[in-house]
Amino acid sequence: MQDFALSASMASALDHTTDTSFSLSTLRERLQNTRVLIAGDVMLDRYWFGDVERISPEAPVPIVHARRIEERLGGAANVANNVSALGAQASLVCVFGKDSVGDDLAALLKTSGIQAHAHQDPALKTILKLRVISRQQQLLRVDFEEPPALDALQRAQKRFIALLPEHDIVLLSDYAKGALLHSATLIAAARRAGKIILIDPKGTDWKQYAGATILTPNRAELRPIIGDWHSESDLQTRITALRKELSIEALFLTRSEEGASLYTDQGVVHVATEAKEVYDVSGAGDTIIATLAALLGAHVPLHEAITYANRAAGIVVGKLGTAHVQYDELFPSK
C-alpha cells in the first residue's frame, strides 16, 4: 500500500485532541467552497401514501387506497443531496439504467443542485425501492435491483479519477449493489491525491476499504466484522485491531440510542444521541457521513464534526422517509 501525506489543514482536522475553540462565524462561506466527490450505489426511493380502511377478502392483508406518490433520491444520491443541503458542492459519479425509473432519477438529480456525472446504461435496470405507507407507518417495501455491468463501472471509475484533483474530500457510499466493485482502485487513487476518504461500509469483506481515512458503520454492520464484544474496553480493542489491519485512521460507530463513538489513535470520544422523536431511521447513515464529509472539507476539526453529524442524524430521524438536513436546521442563526 502506497503512503500519502495529508495537507497540514487536513491533518489538523483529524486531530480530535486539539483544544482550540472552533468558530462557526465563517462556516457557511467555507462550506460553499468545499467540494465533495461522491461515488456509490444510486437508487430511486418511491413512496406510495394512502389510507387503510379494510382488509382484503382475498388474503389477510390491508388494502391501501393510494392517494399520493412521491419520489426521492436514494442511496449515494441521497448522500450527495445531504452534502448539497448543507451548502457544500456535491459531485456524484454514478451509473444507473436508461429506463423510466432512471429517467425519473435523472430528473431529480437535475433539479437537486448536485453536479451529477451520471452514465445511464440501456442494459441496466435502475435500482428502485418502493415503500407503501399509511398513517406514517411503512406497511411494505419492494426492491427492484441488479448489479451494473463491468464496462459501465470502468467508465465511472475513469470519470472519478479524472475529477479527483478538483475536489477536497472523497466519499464512497456502499449499499452493496455493485457500484463500488472496484473500491480499492478508487481508494488508491484518492490516497495518491492526498484526499480524506470517508466510507459508509457494507457486507463482510472490509479488506476492500483498506487505506480509507474514516469508516462510519453502525453496530449491525460492525458486528459481523469484529464479532460480539463484551464490554467497552473489548470493543475498543477489537476496533483498534481492525483499524490497524486496514490502515484506517478513524472509525465513527453509530450506536442508535447509545449515541455514537469515534475511535482513533488518540483514544475514544463518545457523543450522546440527540434524537428527540424518531419517525424513520432510513437514511440516517447517509446524513451522518455527508455531514462529516462537508464539515471536514470546510476544515472543521473531527472532534467538532462528529458532534454536528450526530446532531444532524437526530434531526433527520424525526422526518419521514429518505430526507436531508438543511444548514439552518443544523446551525440555527449561524
Side-chain angles (χ1 to χ4, degrees):
M1 186 178 295
Q2 298 185 17
D3 292 331
F4 79 112
L6 292 171
S7 67
S9 58
M10 290 297 184
S12 175
L14 290 175
D15 182 6
H16 72 260
T17 63
T18 304
D19 293 328
T20 303
S21 178
F22 177 71
S23 172
L24 290 171
S25 60
T26 61
L27 179 58
R28 192 189 292 267
E29 180 181 352
R30 290 200 306 279
L31 279 169
Q32 291 171 349
N33 294 316
T34 294
R35 301 159 299 177
V36 182
L37 180 59
I38 301 129
D41 302 288
V42 298
M43 58 197 71
L44 183 71
D45 284 353
R46 180 173 290 161
Y47 297 83
W48 288 355
F49 295 93
D51 299 324
V52 175
E53 296 177 350
R54 61 194 180 100
I55 301 299
S56 171
E58 303 166 359
V61 295
I63 295 176
V64 179
H65 182 189
R67 298 184 182 275
R68 179 166 59 93
I69 298 175
E70 189 173 320
E71 295 180 336
R72 303 180 188 179
L73 296 169
N78 183 48
V79 174
N81 204 24
N82 271 267
V83 170
S84 180
L86 288 174
Q89 301 174 44
S91 297
L92 175 64
V93 177
C94 57
V95 175
F96 52 90
K98 183 62 177 174
D99 51 15
S100 61
V101 176
D103 291 342
D104 289 343
L105 178 57
L108 286 176
L109 286 170
K110 189 174 182 179
T111 60
S112 66
I114 299 167
Q115 183 63 46
H117 303 271
H119 171 61
Q120 284 189 259
D121 185 350
L124 179 64
K125 291 184 179 179
T126 305
I127 299 173
L128 171 66
K129 290 184 178 180
L130 171 61
R131 297 173 175 90
V132 181
I133 296 174
S134 178
R135 298 182 182 180
Q136 309 297 312
Q137 295 295 320
Q138 186 176 150
L139 304 180
L140 178 70
R141 193 181 98 182
V142 183
D143 290 2
F144 303 85
E145 61 185 62
E146 65 178 48
L150 183 59
D151 59 340
L153 291 180
Q154 290 174 336
R155 188 194 301 259
Q157 177 180 303
K158 290 179 181 178
R159 186 62 175 155
F160 176 92
I161 293 173
L163 289 168
L164 269 174
E166 304 171 16
H167 293 81
D168 307 305
I169 297 284
V170 167
L171 193 163
L172 302 184
S173 177
D174 195 350
Y175 270 76
K177 308 300 183 186
L180 292 178
L181 183 63
H182 303 300
S183 59
T185 301
L186 304 184
I187 292 169
R191 284 180 65 99
R192 288 193 296 270
K195 309 298 181 181
I196 287 181
I197 309 158
L198 293 90
I199 302 180
D200 188 1
K202 292 292 185 294
T204 56
D205 179 18
W206 284 17
K207 291 181 181 179
Q208 62 182 318
Y209 306 132
T213 314
I214 304 173
L215 296 185
T216 62
N218 59 37
R219 290 179 300 188
E221 292 162 343
L222 181 64
R223 187 167 282 109
I225 307 302
I226 66 171
D228 290 324
W229 52 88
H230 310 292
S231 64
E232 287 298 318
S233 62
D234 182 31
L235 175 59
Q236 182 177 356
T237 298
R238 290 170 186 256
I239 289 178
T240 299
L242 176 67
R243 289 180 44 247
K244 182 177 181 180
E245 177 187 358
L246 300 181
S247 298
I248 302 296
E249 295 192 40
L251 188 145
F252 187 54
L253 176 65
T254 55
R255 310 175 68 172
S256 189
E257 72 283 353
E258 295 178 2
S261 302
L262 175 71
Y263 299 84
T264 69
D265 286 344
Q266 287 76 42
V268 186
V269 175
H270 300 290
V271 288
T273 184
E274 296 198 27
K276 296 179 176 61
E277 193 167 17
V278 178
Y279 279 108
D280 194 338
V281 298
S282 61
D286 295 346
T287 297
I288 284 174
I289 195 169
T291 304
L292 276 179
L295 294 183
L296 288 175
H299 304 300
V300 176
L302 181 57
H303 71 290
E304 298 272 6
I306 61 170
T307 299
Y308 291 118
N310 189 57
R311 186 173 301 167
I315 295 171
V316 82
V317 297
K319 303 179 180 184
L320 180 63
T322 306
H324 56 265
V325 175
Q326 298 284 348
Y327 180 91
D328 290 331
E329 291 181 277
L330 189 55
F331 304 103
S333 302
K334 298 295 182 183

